C-alpha cells in the first residue's frame, strides 16, 4: 500500500513513442536480426532475411509456347501461299535432319536442331509431311530459357513478406529453403497477488489471468512468438528474477500489472535495477501507468493491469516495435469519418481513447461511444473503432464528425445501432437478423428509453427499445413519441408485453410482497438510471403509494441494465430491485411480479432499407416469439404489430 | 493433342461469378457449417459457430474501484469538514461492527457489511481511526458484480472472428472452450504428365509442381486447410479417381491444369461425369480455361496451368467462396488511383488483368505494367497491384489515371521505379537503398536506354539506367539527354564504365574473336531489343565494320536483358550475343571484351527528396563500389559523379 503517486516522468504519448523508438533504434535492436532457414513451402507470411537470388532459370529449358511443329527456321525460308514448303515429320526422339520437323505441344522441350515453332493452325499435315505456307523467324513461339527469371537474378528482396506467389517463384527459381527473420520471442509475465491462473482459484478479490492470454494473442497477430510465463507474486525479488530469466530467452519482455504508482509497484523499481527506465507514465487515458525500459539491449515493457489499458498501451508501445523487429512497416489501421453519437467529456492534458460502435444511420456514419471504464472488457469486444481526444481538448460535442480508427480486420458490412432500453429480446433480435441478412450485426448501447428516443431524434440510432409510461394517460410510448418526434408518421413496432417485478434472493428471505415494502429500513434497494422506463415505473408506483424516494435505501444507487440489478441482488449486497423476470431467471433468483409493461421498438431506417421489413418479419415469426417467451415473463402475441402514430 | 477448341460455354467474368455464387448458395453450401470446440486460448482468428453467452458475471464480485477505506454508507452520513466522522479501522477478516471500516486496495473484495469506498486521499488515518469529512453515497467507488458483463448476456455473436480482446472477454466470462466453424478442407490436385514433384526429375520439357504449393498457401491465407494431393497423370480415370477420393474428405476440390480445351483436357469431362459443370471458360485474360462445377454439393474447380492464370482465377473464383464458407465477408482489397506508365493493348471481348508496380513519381502515382505472359512468375512477385481492362476496351492509353487494386498486405511505403537499361548494379543499388532508407523498394522495368529516357520525360520513372552512344560525337548519354530532355539542368549521375563483350560458351568452341565473326554462317546470334544501348553499340560496330545486319543469323531474335542473352548462349541454342561481363560470369560462360561503355543514371526526384542524395552517397561509397566491381567487368572509380548538363 505504498501511496507514492509520483511517476518517474510522465511524457506525452507522441514524445514517449518517439523516445522509445529512438532509443531502441540507437541500441541496434532493429538491425542484424537473427535468421533461420525454412523450407520455402513453410515460409508463408514470413519475412526474408536476405535478398534471394535465382539458382535456376525459369523456364529452365527452351520450350514450345504453342501447339504446333518445331522446325529449323532456315528450312522454312521461301515458303509462301503460292509455293508451300513440305517438311518431313520426324518421330519424337529421332535425330534431326535438314527439312525435318517434329510435332510439339505447349511446354514441350524444343527438339535438338530446331529453333522455331509454327502454330498447328497454320500447318496442313498429310502423309507424314507438314505443309507450311509462311516462313518462320528464328525463335518464334519459343519460350527461351530464362525468359521469366534468369539464374543469378533477384527473385525476392530482403525484408519481404512471403506471399503464395513468392512461394511459387522461389521453388521455380531453384530454392527449396529460404532464410527468414526469426519470429521475435516475447515473454509475457503476469504479476499480482490477486491474479489466479484457474477458475477454481477464483474467490472474491481474485482476478482470473486473462490479460496474459490476450497479450499473447496480440503478439501472435503481430508476428511474434509469445511465451506466457507463470504468475509472479507482488514481491520485488520474484519479479526481478522472472524478468532476468525471461530476458535470457526472449527478444522482448512484457510485465503485466504492477505498474501503477499507487499500489504494490515494483515494476519500475525492478527495471531501474536491471536496466534503464526510459518512460514511466504517459499522459493517456486509459493506460497512464505504462513503463518502458531497455534492459540488456532489449525492450521490457510494463503494461497496466486493466484489460482496456493493457490492450491500448500494447497497441501504442508494443505493436510497431514488434513489427520493426521483423522489418515490417508500422501498421496503419484504416480510418473512416463518423459523427459522434453523444458528447464525450475529457480531461485537459490527457490524450483519451474511446472505443466506439459504428453504424450507417440513414446515410450518415455514426460513432457510438461505448462504456469507458478501463476494466470494461465488453467495450473491447463490442468496439469496431477507436477515437482519440487530443490532450488539449476538454471533450468532444455530440454530432462532431471525426476520424475513427477501425479495429477489426473483418468488420461486418452493416452495423445496426440499437440505443435505448435494454432487453434480452433485443440480443435475440440481433441473432435472428444475422441469420436473415448477410453480414450484419446489432450493437446495443443501453441508455434507457428516453436516451433511445433522443438518439432516434438525432438520427444517431437505427433502433430504440422503449417502455415509457405516460402518467396522465396511463398509456405507453405513443405520447412520448408524439412529444419528442412530432413529425414521425411510422416506425413504432410492438415487441412484447413484459412483466416487471421485484427481484429477490431465492426463497424471498426478506418476505417482500410489493412496492409497499420498499421503504422498510431493513431493505437495501438497487435502482435503475434516470430516463429508463423501469425508473419511471418505480417513480409512478411510489407516487401512487405515497412513498417518498428518500425513504428507500439505495434509491440513489443506479445501474444501467436489468441484469445488473439481478446481479446486485444475487451478490447479497442489496435485497431487491425492479426488473424483468428474464434477468431474475438467468441468475436463479425469485421474482415478484408487480406490473406488465409495453416494450416497443422505434425504428429509424430509410424507406428502401431491407432491414425494417426483416425486423418486422422476425418479430412476427413463430420462432422468434417462441424463443423470447421461453426466457420467461414475455407475452409476444402482438409482436410485430405496427403501432399507428 | 485433341484440338477441340470449343469451351462448353464461355461466360463473362461477372456472369460466371454470379452464377457460381448463386448455385453454391442454392445448394446450401454456405449454411449449417460444421463446428468444432476449441480451447478459447487456441481460437485466435477463428470464427464463432454460435453466439456465445456469459457463464459468469464480470466482475464476479463487488470490489473496490479505488484504494481507500470500505465503509457502510449510513455510518458516514453527517460527516463534514466542520464535523469530521471518525470510523474504527478494523483488521482485514474481522467481522464488521457499526462505525467500523477496512483498508482496501483497488480490486479487493468489499468486506461483508460495507457498501461504499472512500478514496484514501480523502481520509486522515491516525491512532487506529479513519477520519472523514464527507458522507459516502451507497455503492460509491464500488465495481458491482456484472457491471461489465452479466452472466447470460451475449459476449460475442455468431460468425465473429475471434480477436485477442475476445479471448480475454471469453475467459473472463467463464468460457474455456468455444465452438468455431471448422476450417474448410480444400484438396489441391496437381495434374499433368509434364508435372514433376522434385527437382531431381526436372528434365527439359518437365515442369516442377509449384502451383499446388502456391494454391495451398493461398487457401491457407484465406482461412482454409489445404491438402496437397500427389500429381495425377493426364488420364481420365486417374483424374476421376483423384477427384472422387478428394471429394469424400474435403469441402472443396481444386484441380490444377488440364483445363484448356486445346490439350489433354479431361477436367471438364471428368467433372461432367461426377457432377454438373456450371462454367467452362470465362472471357478473361489470363485465365480463360477455368472450369467451375458442383459435385456432390461441393465446389470442384479446374484452374489453368500457367501460374499467373492459376493465381488470378483462384482470386476470382476460390477466395470469396472459401471466405463465405467460413461466414466471412468477401475480401475487398484496397484500391488506389495511378496513372498508367505505358499503353496497354487489349482484346475486345476479353476482360484483361495486368499486374503493375506502383510508385510516386514527383507527387504523381504511376502504375508500371509488368510482363503480361501467363507464365511470367516474375510478374507475380514484382506486382504491387493489378489493373483490369474492361471487355469493351481495345486497350488503355499511357497516362490514363485508373484504379489499381493493391495486392500486398505489407506494401513498402515507397517504391522507386527504375525504368531503362537493365544492369545488375541497379539491383545492388536497390539493396543498398533499402538498407539506407526505411521501408523503400526498387522496382526495375527493363525497357532499354531509350525507353528509360522517355519514361523520365513523361515523369513515369524515378531512375533510368542509360548507356547510349552518340555516333557523330562518340560521346555517351549527354547528347541524348540534351535532345530529349532539353530543359533538364541536372540529375545525370555516373554509375560505371562497364565492359561489353561477346558472350560465348566455355572455352569459346566456335573461336569467336570479335564483331568481324558475327556474319559467319555457322554462328547463331541473339540480339537485344531496339532502343537498348547494347543494340546501338552493335549497330555502331557493325556499321563501322561494314557488316549488314541481314548477314547475321538471329539478328532479329531479341531478348530484353543481358542475362537473357547469356542464358541463350548457355543453353546452346545460340553461339553468342553482346552483353556485359557480369552476366557471362553469372552463368559460367566465357566473355570476349569488345568495348567499354559509360553507364549512367538519370534521376528524377523532387528537390527535397532524400532519395537522390542517398543514391549519390551510395554510388560514392566504398562498399557499393567494391560489391559491384566484384561482379566483374565494372570500373566504378567515378561512380556518383554528377555529370554537368
Amino acid at each position: 500500500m505504498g501511496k507514492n503517486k509520483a511517476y518517474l516522468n510522465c511524457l506525452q504519448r507522441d514524445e514517449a513513442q518517439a523516445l522509445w523508438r529512438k532509443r531502441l533504434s540507437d541500441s541496434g535492436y532493429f538491425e542484424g536480426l537473427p535468421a533461420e532457414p525454412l523450407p520455402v513451402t513453410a515460409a508463408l507470411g514470413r519475412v526474408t532475411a536476405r535478398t534471394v537470388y535465382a539458382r535456376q532459370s525459369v523456364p529452365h529449358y527452351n520450350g514450345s509456347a504453342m501447339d504446333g511443329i518445331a522446325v529449323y527456321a532456315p528450312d522454312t525460308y521461301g515458303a509462301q501461299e503460292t509455293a508451300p514448303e513440305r517438311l518431313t515429320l520426324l518421330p519424337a526422339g529421332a535425330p534431326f535432319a535438314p527439312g525435318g520437323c517434329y510435332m510439339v505441344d505447349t511446354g514441350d522441350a524444343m527438339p535438338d536442331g530446331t529453333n522455331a515453332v509454327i502454330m498447328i493452325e497454320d500447318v496442313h499435315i498429310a502423309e507424314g509431311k507438314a505443309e507450311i505456307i509462311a516462313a518462320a523467324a528464328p525463335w518464334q513461339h519459343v519460350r527461351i530459357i530464362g525468359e521469366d527469371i534468369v539464374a543469378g537474378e533477384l527473385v525476392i528482396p530482403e525484408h519481404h513478406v512471403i506471399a503464395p506467389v513468392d512461394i511459387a517463384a522461389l521453388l521455380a527459381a531453384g530454392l527449396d529453403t529460404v532464410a527468414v527473420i526469426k519470429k521475435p520471442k516475447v515473454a509475457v509475465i503476469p504479476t499480482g497477488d490477486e491474479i489466479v491462473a484457474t477458475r477454481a482459484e477464483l474467490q472474491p478479490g481474485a482476478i482470473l489471468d486473462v490479460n496474459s492470454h490476450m497479450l499473447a494473442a496480440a503478439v501472435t497477430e503481430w508476428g511474434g512468438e509469445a511465451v506466457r510465463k507463470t504468475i509472479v507474486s507482488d514481491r520485488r525479488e520474484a519479479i526481478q528474477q522472472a524478468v532476468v530469466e525471461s530476458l535470457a530467452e526472449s527478444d522482448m519482455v512484457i510485465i503485466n500489472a504492477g505498474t501503477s504508482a499507487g499500489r504494490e509497484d515494483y515494476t519500475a523499481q525492478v527495471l531501474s535495477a536491471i536496466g534503464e527506465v526510459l518512460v514511466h507514465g504517459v499522459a493517456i487515458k486509459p493506460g497512464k501507468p505504462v513503463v518502458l525500459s531497455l534492459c540488456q539491449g532489449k525492450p521490457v515493457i510494463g503494461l497496466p493491469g486493466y484489460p482496456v489499458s493493457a490492450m491500448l498501451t500494447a497497441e501504442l508501445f508494443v505493436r510497431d516495435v514488434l513489427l520493426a523487429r521483423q522489418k515490417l512497416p508500422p501498421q496503419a489501421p484504416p480510418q473512416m469519418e463518423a459523427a459522434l453519437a453523444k458528447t464525450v467529456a475529457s480531461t485537459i492534458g490527457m490524450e483519451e481513447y474511446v472505443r466506439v460502435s459504428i453504424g450507417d444511420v440513414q446515410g450518415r456514419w455514426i460513432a457510438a461511444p461505448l462504456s469507458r471504464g478501463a476494466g470494461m472488457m465488453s467495450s473491447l469486444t463490442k468496439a469496431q473503432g477507436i477515437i482519440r481526444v487530443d490532450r488539449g481538448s476538454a471533450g468532444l460535442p455530440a454530432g462532431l464528425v471525426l476520424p475513427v480508427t477501425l479495429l477489426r480486420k473483418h468488420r461486418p458490412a452493416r452495423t445496426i445501432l440499437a440505443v435505448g432500453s435494454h432487453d434480452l429480446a433485443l440480443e435475440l433480435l440481433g441473432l435472428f437478423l444475422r441469420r436473415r441478412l448477410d453480414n450484419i450485426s446489432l450493437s446495443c448501447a443501453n441508455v434507457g428509453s428516453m436516451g433511445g428516443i433522443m438518439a432516434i431524434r438525432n438520427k444517431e440510432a437505427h433502433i430504440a427499445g422503449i417502455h415509457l409510461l405516460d402518467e396522465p394517460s396511463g398509456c405507453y410510448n405513443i405520447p412520448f413519441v408524439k412529444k419528442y418526434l412530432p413529425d414521425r408518421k411510422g416506425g413504432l413496432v410492438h415487441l412484447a408485453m413484459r412483466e416487471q417485478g421485484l427481484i429477490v434472493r431465492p426463497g424471498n428471505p426478506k418476505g417482500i410482497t410489493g412496492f409497499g415494502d420498499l421503504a422498510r429500513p431493513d431493505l437495501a434497494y438497487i435502482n435503475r438510471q434516470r430516463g429508463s422506463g423501469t425508473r419511471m415505473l418505480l417513480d409512478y408506483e411510489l407516487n401512487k403509494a405515497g412513498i417518498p424516494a428518500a425513504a428507500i435505501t439505495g434509491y440513489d444507487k443506479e445501474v444501467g441494465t436489468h441484469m445488473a440489478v439481478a446481479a446486485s441482488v444475487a451478490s447479497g449486497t442489496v435485497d431487491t430491485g425492479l426488473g424483468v423476470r428474464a434477468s431474475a431467471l438467468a441468475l436463479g433468483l425469485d421474482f415478484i411480479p408487480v406490473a406488465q409493461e409495453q416494450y416497443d421498438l422505434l425504428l429509424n431506417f430509410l424507406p428502401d432499407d431491407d432491414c425494417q421489413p426483416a425486423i418486422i418479419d422476425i418479430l412476427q415469426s413463430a420462432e422468434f416469439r417462441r424463443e423470447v417467451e421461453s426466457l420467461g415473463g414475455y407475452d409476444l402475441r402482438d409482436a410485430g404489430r405496427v403501432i399507428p402514430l
Side-chain angles (χ1 to χ4, degrees), chain A:
Chain A
M1 260 182 287
K3 302 303 173 192
N4 164 28
K5 285 277 178 195
Y7 292 96
L8 181 72
N9 55 8
C10 189
L11 299 185
Q12 299 298 340
R13 192 256 316 153
D14 42 3
E15 293 168 354
Q17 283 178 318
L19 174 67
W20 181 226
R21 194 58 189 269
K22 179 169 183 346
R23 289 298 305 275
L24 283 170
S25 186
D26 290 351
S27 77
Y29 186 66
F30 303 122
E31 298 307 324
L33 302 183
E36 61 183 341
L38 268 194
V40 165
T41 51
L44 179 66
R46 297 298 293 272
V47 183
T48 53
R50 292 185 276 280
T51 301
V52 186
Y53 297 97
R55 291 226 177 110
Q56 173 163 45
S57 294
V58 182
H60 60 97
Y61 63 95
N62 294 319
S64 175
M66 291 284 174
D67 294 347
I69 59 171
V71 303
Y72 178 59
D75 288 349
T76 69
Y77 298 161
Q80 41 186 299
E81 261 184 271
T82 51
E85 196 81 37
R86 301 182 81 208
L87 301 173
T88 306
L89 269 176
L90 301 170
F96 182 71
C101 68
Y102 304 85
M103 298 294 292
V104 285
D105 276 347
T106 305
D108 284 353
M110 293 293 289
D112 282 348
T114 63
N115 70 350
V117 169
I118 301 173
M119 282 160 62
I120 196 67
E121 290 88 330
D122 298 335
V123 182
H124 178 71
I125 294 185
E127 297 165 13
K129 297 279 184 187
E131 193 178 281
I132 55 170
I133 54 172
W139 305 104
Q140 80 174 22
H141 303 319
V142 177
R143 283 196 80 202
I144 67 161
I145 192 168
E147 186 175 289
D148 185 0
I149 300 171
V150 183
E153 259 187 354
L154 176 154
V155 186
I156 293 178
E158 64 181 350
H159 308 157
H160 174 94
V161 182
I162 296 173
V165 294
D166 302 322
I167 289 176
L170 288 167
L171 291 172
L175 295 130
D176 290 319
T177 59
V178 60
V180 297
I181 294 175
K182 269 194 176 172
K183 280 172 179 271
K185 217 177 201 174
V186 181
V188 179
I189 309 176
T191 72
D193 291 337
E194 75 282 20
I195 306 296
V196 297
T198 64
R199 216 173 290 294
E201 306 163 71
L202 197 55
Q203 302 305 317
I207 293 173
L208 188 66
D209 169 31
V210 303
N211 282 6
S212 76
H213 295 281
M214 173 180 77
L215 294 169
V219 163
T220 305
E221 276 208 333
W222 302 331
E225 187 189 324
V227 182
R228 285 179 49 252
K229 313 301 285 186
T230 49
I231 297 164
V232 177
S233 67
D234 277 328
R235 287 185 310 111
R236 189 186 155 126
E237 316 76 59
I239 296 174
Q240 179 150 344
Q241 191 189 336
V243 173
V244 169
E245 280 175 17
S246 295
L247 270 171
E249 58 185 31
S250 317
D251 302 296
M252 177 191 279
V253 179
I254 295 174
I255 309 168
N256 190 224
T259 60
S260 153
R263 46 162 297 177
E264 288 83 3
D265 170 21
Y266 298 119
T267 303
Q269 289 175 37
V270 164
L271 299 184
S272 295
I274 307 173
E276 185 187 358
V277 172
L278 306 172
V279 175
H280 183 198
V282 178
I284 52 173
K285 194 172 165 187
K288 187 177 180 194
V290 74
V291 181
L292 307 176
S293 79
L294 199 50
C295 301
Q296 301 169 15
K298 295 172 180 176
V300 181
I301 300 150
L303 297 180
Y306 276 123
V308 182
S309 317
M311 196 61 211
L312 177 69
T313 47
E315 283 162 355
L316 291 175
F317 299 105
V318 174
R319 185 176 61 197
D320 288 350
V321 168
L322 207 51
L323 293 173
R325 172 78 185 187
Q326 303 161 75
K327 290 290 178 189
L328 294 175
Q331 265 185 23
Q335 291 199 328
M336 65 178 293
E337 302 238 293
L340 209 50
K342 63 178 186 193
T343 296
V344 172
S346 175
T347 313
I348 288 190
M350 296 292 267
E351 188 171 84
E352 294 199 37
Y353 290 83
V354 181
R355 286 169 201 262
V356 297
S357 277
I358 311 157
D360 173 347
V361 180
Q362 300 206 355
R364 184 160 152 263
W365 283 99
I366 298 294
L370 297 161
S371 328
R372 291 169 67 184
M376 295 298 270
M377 244 161 324
S378 53
S379 74
L380 290 173
T381 54
K382 289 178 179 172
Q384 295 172 333
I386 194 164
I387 59 171
R388 206 182 67 190
V389 188
D390 283 340
R391 58 177 180 262
S393 164
L396 307 173
L400 181 73
V401 174
L402 78 181
V404 179
T405 300
L406 301 179
L407 291 172
R408 299 264 174 190
K409 256 186 283 188
H410 297 276
R411 207 162 67 84
R414 301 182 62 187
T415 299
I416 303 304
L417 297 178
V419 173
S421 170
H422 183 254
D423 194 283
L424 289 172
L426 263 180
E427 287 180 3
L428 285 172
L429 174 62
L431 193 66
F432 277 74
L433 205 52
R434 284 175 80 99
R435 290 184 189 150
R436 185 79 60 115
L437 300 177
D438 262 354
N439 224 326
I440 198 165
S441 86
L442 184 81
S443 172
C444 294
N446 309 316
V447 300
S449 294
M450 276 310 300
I453 286 192
M454 291 307 147
I456 297 288
R457 189 166 77 167
N458 298 334
K459 294 198 178 157
E460 288 158 3
H462 296 103
I463 300 178
I466 56 174
H467 52 114
L468 290 164
L469 174 56
D470 181 51
E471 283 198 42
S473 66
C475 183
Y476 265 92
N477 299 331
I478 298 172
F480 292 87
V481 176
K482 284 196 184 296
K483 177 169 177 191
Y484 292 102
L485 297 161
D487 299 330
R488 178 162 274 260
K489 290 287 162 273
L492 184 63
V493 179
H494 179 58
L495 197 158
M497 295 304 291
R498 65 177 192 184
E499 283 175 322
Q500 285 272 17
L502 291 167
I503 298 168
V504 296
R505 279 194 289 285
N508 192 9
K510 294 276 177 105
I512 298 166
T513 59
F515 289 110
D517 291 317
L518 296 187
R520 273 166 46 188
D522 64 323
L523 289 189
Y525 186 77
I526 183 94
N527 209 347
R528 288 291 307 282
Q529 82 281 15
R530 268 172 291 268
S532 68
T534 302
R535 172 73 162 260
M536 289 190 181
L537 177 62
L538 175 76
D539 292 345
Y540 174 73
E541 295 288 347
L542 292 180
N543 199 19
K544 228 168 50 177
I547 304 169
I552 300 176
T553 307
Y555 180 88
D556 47 1
K557 174 63 180 173
E558 299 176 349
V559 290
T561 67
H562 293 282
M563 290 299 280
V565 169
S568 298
V569 174
S571 74
T573 57
V574 300
D575 298 301
T576 191
L578 190 59
V580 295
R581 183 189 287 268
S583 53
L585 280 179
L587 297 190
L589 300 168
D590 277 4
F591 180 78
I592 298 131
V594 291
Q596 211 186 30
E597 63 173 9
Q598 184 179 332
Y599 187 90
D600 298 330
L601 299 181
L602 198 48
L603 303 179
N604 195 33
F605 295 96
L606 288 174
D608 59 346
D609 197 314
D610 59 350
C611 215
Q612 179 150 339
I615 288 172
I616 292 174
D617 209 48
I618 288 167
L619 295 183
Q620 293 176 349
S621 72
E623 297 85 343
F624 180 73
R625 291 180 183 191
R626 196 163 43 238
E627 202 144 339
V628 176
E629 288 181 346
S630 76
L631 293 172
Y634 289 88
D635 175 351
L636 268 80
R637 78 185 71 176
D638 277 340
R641 182 171 60 88
V642 177
I643 300 168
L645 286 175

